[in-house]
Amino acid sequence: MHAYESVSTWRQPEPAPASDARTALVGGIAETVSRRSPGRLRVAIDGFTASGKTSFGHELAAALRGLGRPTLRATMDDFKNPWREARERGYDRISGPGYYRNAYDFVSARELLLDPAGPEGSGEVVLCAHDPLTGEDHRDKVVRAAGDAVLVVDSVFAFRPEYDACWDYRIWLEVDAGVSPARGIARDVAIEGVGEATRLHRDRYHPALALYLEEVGPRGRADVVIDNTDFANPRIVPAPGP
């Protein structure tokens, strides 16, 4: 079954199976998604920073292909405003509020990715607008989504109003307090170093997430909430409310 992947260099490998319990949970979500419609679908995986969104997206896409559905994988990290444009236009992307308000290119995400991948869209989909590591523009790289393809997108802030109407299924990944910054810092140390990784999560990412939780209430918008604190034993939990 065909799988289209983003050309971005900002990638994580598909994880090895962690447990039978995790495989069963992901498989159940895939079946629920697939039953939504035989036509094209768009799935958002949102949650705390470093809650496991990308890994879950890879696993879900693989499970959907196992059900006979072609997939497309994308991340909103590939639909951010370039740093150069932010500087030229005087955008704040350093603070938490600045990151939340200004980092993402909502117009390109809608026009190139989400609208064409929808059930009434053209099917001509761009999976990466701007590589966040190399700075390369990939808007000319278009793939053709089959009529029954499922687009799986991982992102923080996925349920904000600029995107929310585009999703056919919304997944929220929950983790215990303290897990998100610890995982995020550990993930980013290799690129940023300990001090800078700690500062980024403390001063930018987590204040931005707090603003998102306050303004949007994303947990309450999800079709399913999954506690992903224990990677080998995720579990579906009641939505805790906004």
Side-chain angles (χ1 to χ4, degrees):
M1 193 55 56
H2 201 92
Y4 286 115
E5 304 286 338
S6 169
V7 297
S8 172
T9 56
W10 182 249
R11 292 199 213 176
Q12 295 180 33
E14 185 171 333
S19 68
D20 291 343
R22 186 174 183 86
T23 299
L25 183 143
V26 173
I29 298 296
E31 290 175 359
T32 298
V33 169
S34 188
R35 286 196 298 266
R36 284 285 169 115
S37 170
R40 287 197 293 265
L41 293 165
R42 296 158 298 182
V43 178
I45 303 171
D46 199 348
F48 286 92
T49 301
S51 59
K53 297 182 293 295
T54 301
S55 292
F56 197 95
H58 290 340
E59 293 168 299
L60 179 61
L64 285 163
R65 291 192 296 274
L67 297 174
R69 300 295 292 260
T71 62
L72 304 92
R73 277 288 285 123
T75 174
M76 288 302 184
D77 283 340
D78 294 337
F79 288 86
K80 285 182 176 178
N81 291 307
W83 276 102
R84 174 182 52 78
E85 291 185 12
R87 289 192 294 268
E88 289 175 353
R89 299 181 185 183
Y91 290 161
D92 168 23
R93 279 185 57 177
I94 303 300
S95 70
Y99 182 75
Y100 178 64
R101 306 279 184 215
N102 302 319
Y104 288 86
D105 182 350
F106 309 117
V107 174
S108 292
R110 287 286 301 257
E111 293 182 351
L112 301 178
L113 177 70
L114 299 177
D115 289 343
E120 306 301 325
S122 67
E124 301 292 324
V125 180
V126 172
L127 295 176
C128 175
H130 181 262
D131 190 312
L133 291 186
T134 67
E136 187 174 355
D137 192 294
H138 293 293
R139 297 164 202 265
D140 61 339
K141 296 178 175 62
V142 179
V143 299
R144 175 71 189 179
D148 59 346
V150 182
L151 171 67
V152 179
V153 182
D154 60 84
S155 178
V156 290
F157 318 144
F159 306 161
R160 57 185 300 158
E162 292 87 351
Y163 305 133
D164 193 53
C166 296
W167 307 117
D168 303 295
Y169 195 80
R170 299 168 183 82
I171 299 168
W172 176 266
L173 297 186
E174 191 82 9
V175 292
D176 288 347
V179 170
S180 172
R183 285 184 183 172
I185 292 168
R187 178 195 64 195
D188 296 340
V189 159
I191 296 175
E192 305 289 353
V194 175
E196 181 63 8
T198 300
R199 186 192 68 77
L200 286 172
H201 285 270
R202 181 193 65 219
D203 297 341
R204 184 187 302 172
Y205 300 145
H206 286 278
L209 183 62
L211 186 59
Y212 175 52
L213 293 173
E214 179 182 353
E215 289 194 355
V216 175
R219 297 177 180 101
R221 306 196 66 79
D223 293 285
V224 64
V225 176
I226 298 170
D227 187 327
N228 203 41
T229 302
D230 183 348
F231 195 81
N233 294 287
R235 55 193 179 91
I236 295 175
V237 297

